[in-house]
């Protein structure tokens, strides 16, 4: 079992920045991917960004060029730097971890942190 705790959400004006952090604990040895998803009211959960253990990253089209994901495998943390925030970025942001081993796979979620972008 992997446990994920997010921090850093809040309220920011359009054009501002926020940094989200996620700390993983529990059985972290086989985490392969750590990333962020978000869900706005009335919409489906969507990919924001994710980082695999080799250092590669991918981003959702709506945030590409504005958000940056970074991962520290030693500390089992992942950070999302969000710049030039827009009102449509308002959502609950969830940390995600995927694990892989020779015998099992897993998919884990944090409780979420609210990000609100408004003027």
């Amino acid at each position: 079992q992997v446990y994920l705790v997010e921090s850093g959400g809040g309220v920011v004006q359009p054009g501002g920045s926020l940094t989200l952090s996620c700390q993983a604990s529990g059985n972290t040895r086989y985490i392969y991917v750590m990333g962020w998803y978000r869900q706005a009211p009335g919409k489906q959960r969507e990919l924001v960004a994710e980082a695999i253990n080799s250092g590669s990253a991918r981003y959702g089209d709506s945030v590409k060029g504005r958000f940056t994901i970074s991962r520290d495998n030693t500390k089992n943390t992942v950070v999302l730097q969000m710049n030039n925030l827009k009102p449509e970025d308002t959502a609950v942001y969830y940390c995600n971890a995927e694990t892989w081993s020779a015998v099992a796979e897993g998919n884990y979620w944090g409780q979420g942190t609210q990000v609100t972008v408004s003027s």
Side-chain angles (χ1 to χ4, degrees):
Q1 191 75 19
V2 174
Y3 303 92
L4 304 170
V5 179
E6 304 99 333
S7 63
V11 180
V12 65
Q13 295 185 2
S17 298
L18 280 176
T19 302
L20 304 183
S21 298
C22 176
Q23 176 69 60
S25 61
N27 296 327
T28 61
R29 182 177 181 86
Y30 297 106
I31 294 177
Y32 181 70
V33 177
M34 292 191 71
W36 293 90
Y37 289 71
R38 68 186 183 188
Q39 188 165 22
K43 296 184 178 180
Q44 297 183 8
R45 189 171 298 186
E46 65 176 352
L47 171 72
V48 178
E50 65 179 14
I52 63 176
N53 58 5
S54 66
S56 298
R58 67 183 182 118
Y59 298 87
D61 289 339
S62 63
V63 308
K64 192 173 298 183
R66 299 187 295 121
F67 293 8
T68 302
I69 190 169
S70 59
R71 181 177 172 183
D72 187 332
N73 291 335
T74 301
K75 298 181 178 180
N76 295 307
T77 60
V78 62
V79 173
L80 183 69
Q81 177 65 49
M82 305 185 293
N83 298 321
N84 192 24
L85 284 160
K86 305 177 183 297
E88 52 263 40
D89 295 318
T90 296
V92 177
Y93 284 69
Y94 297 91
C95 184
N96 171 253
E98 300 174 13
T99 60
W100 178 89
S101 72
V103 297
E105 296 180 353
N107 194 17
Y108 303 92
W109 298 93
Q111 294 298 309
T113 185
Q114 177 70 47
V115 172
T116 301
V117 184
S118 64
S119 58

